[in-house]
Amino acid sequence: MTGDLPRIPLAGVIGAPIAHSRSPALHGYWLRRYGIKGHYIPMEIAQADLRDALQFLPRVGFVGLNVTIPHKETVLGLADIVTDRAALIGAANTLIFRKDGKIFADNTDGSGFIANLRQEAPQWQPTRGPAALFGAGGAARAVIAALIEVGVPEIRVANRTRARAEALRSDFGAKVMVHEWVQAANMLDGAVTVVNTTALGMTGKPEFHLPLDALDPRALVTDLVYTPLRTAFLEEAQAAGCTVVDGLGMLLHQAAPGFERWFGLRPEVDGATRAAVLSA
Ligand code: NAP
């Protein structure tokens, strides 16, 4: 009587394209590590099919999803419950299909960003001074929300398209100070936290280069790009004496809350997890 057997929980990641995603390797590793009966599946879903997919997948045993480009914004309008932080960021990366049929949408990118820095640089004290942040896309929004939440007093932002940085100031308030992209290096003066949230430095994109003369060697420098793991920006900041943290840990930490909600166990983010994802 198969009807009496508990359903094996299914989760996955939706996006278009999806082949590049490291999430299946990560969740697959955790499922094996903890001996959990469950599956995590990458699914390429076109924008036009998104609504139907979110109705159908819970019916066949899906307990939730990760969401990536280009669906992160659209899913907010299809969810029944949206967390305050997802609403503020304007995007969700984690969906939970609740037993009552409601779709719950959250954004864990910001908490993943902070958890990564706390783990990799325990001496980091973000409240001690300004943050300098480059970029103003979806990832920047999540990082700014998180930096404000942990008490960073001022967030200096520069973006190639200045209007997007100005929009961050109107959405997140006066702690956000907009600077000129061509003079972005000036933002480093006195910065305690320095973050590249642009796509520059990714394999196939130009490098992110900045004159680092104003960079305090006590600053913590991090890059959201994790392919390659060590960007030129991180190498140069390390050569200037700074503590540097790569972006892979953010990917691992943002995934943990979803895994816990879907499969019932908070997974460890540690060296073995990193190694499993890097070797996949
Ligand atoms: P997005 O919304 O498309 O934003 C891209 C950002 O990069 C914008 O600020 C854009 O500036 C800037 N940019 C792109 N090409 C540029 C160029 N040639 N010169 C100057 N600026 C350029 O993307 P996103 O979702 O914010 O993601 C940004 C990066 O973060 C990606 O590399 C992504 O893989 C990474 N990320 C990592 C994690 C993690 O877990 N580690 C999580 C999320 C994202 P304009 O506004 O002027 O176009």
Side-chain angles (χ1 to χ4, degrees), residues 50-62:
L50 187 57
R51 179 184 293 273
D52 288 345
L54 295 187
Q55 284 177 358
F56 175 73
L57 291 172
R59 281 194 237 137
V60 293
F62 276 80

Side-chain angles (χ1 to χ4, degrees), residues 28-258:
Y29 165 74
W30 278 333
L31 287 168
R32 286 193 303 282
R33 173 169 168 172
Y34 297 110
I36 295 171
K37 276 201 172 128
H39 299 283
Y40 185 97
I41 302 154
M43 287 169 285
E44 182 157 335
I45 308 266
Q47 194 83 33
D49 296 329
L50 187 57
R51 179 184 293 273
D52 288 345
L54 295 187
Q55 284 177 358
F56 175 73
L57 291 172
R59 281 194 237 137
V60 293
F62 276 80
V63 290
L65 295 172
N66 284 128
V67 185
T68 187
I69 294 167
H71 301 319
K72 286 175 111 170
E73 292 83 18
T74 321
V75 291
L76 287 187
L78 301 172
D80 302 292
I81 302 156
V82 175
T83 61
D84 288 347
R85 59 187 180 178
L88 183 64
I89 294 163
N93 68 346
T94 306
L95 300 181
I96 292 152
F97 299 143
R98 300 192 342 177
K99 289 206 174 75
D100 62 6
K102 295 205 183 321
I103 300 176
F104 174 92
D106 194 9
N107 193 314
T108 62
D109 274 340
S111 60
F113 170 79
I114 298 292
N116 183 36
L117 297 188
R118 296 250 190 250
Q119 185 173 46
E120 299 295 325
Q123 76 287 2
W124 177 55
Q125 291 183 290
T127 56
R128 292 193 63 178
L133 183 144
F134 307 96
R141 298 183 76 86
V143 168
I144 289 173
L147 289 174
I148 290 173
E149 203 177 314
V150 298
V152 171
E154 175 189 334
I155 301 162
R156 303 166 180 169
V157 179
N159 191 50
R160 177 180 61 175
T161 310
R162 188 182 167 109
R164 286 183 96 185
E166 298 286 0
L168 295 177
R169 182 177 167 89
S170 50
D171 290 350
F172 290 95
K175 281 191 174 179
V176 174
M177 309 291 284
V178 178
H179 290 247
E180 277 299 325
W181 177 246
V182 287
Q183 290 166 359
N186 294 344
M187 296 182 355
L188 297 174
D189 195 10
V192 165
T193 312
V194 178
V195 192
N196 175 36
T197 78
T198 74
L200 289 173
M202 266 175 90
T203 308
K205 289 255 183 192
E207 297 289 3
F208 179 50
H209 282 301
L210 205 61
L212 299 182
D213 316 291
L215 184 62
D216 186 329
R218 290 166 300 180
L220 172 77
V221 180
T222 186
D223 200 325
L224 266 52
V225 171
Y226 55 84
T227 48
L229 209 46
R230 305 286 292 189
T231 58
F233 179 55
L234 287 187
E235 296 286 1
E236 286 163 18
Q238 188 167 40
C242 293
T243 302
V244 300
V245 177
D246 68 59
L248 182 62
M250 174 175 169
L251 178 82
L252 307 182
H253 282 283
Q254 63 78 29

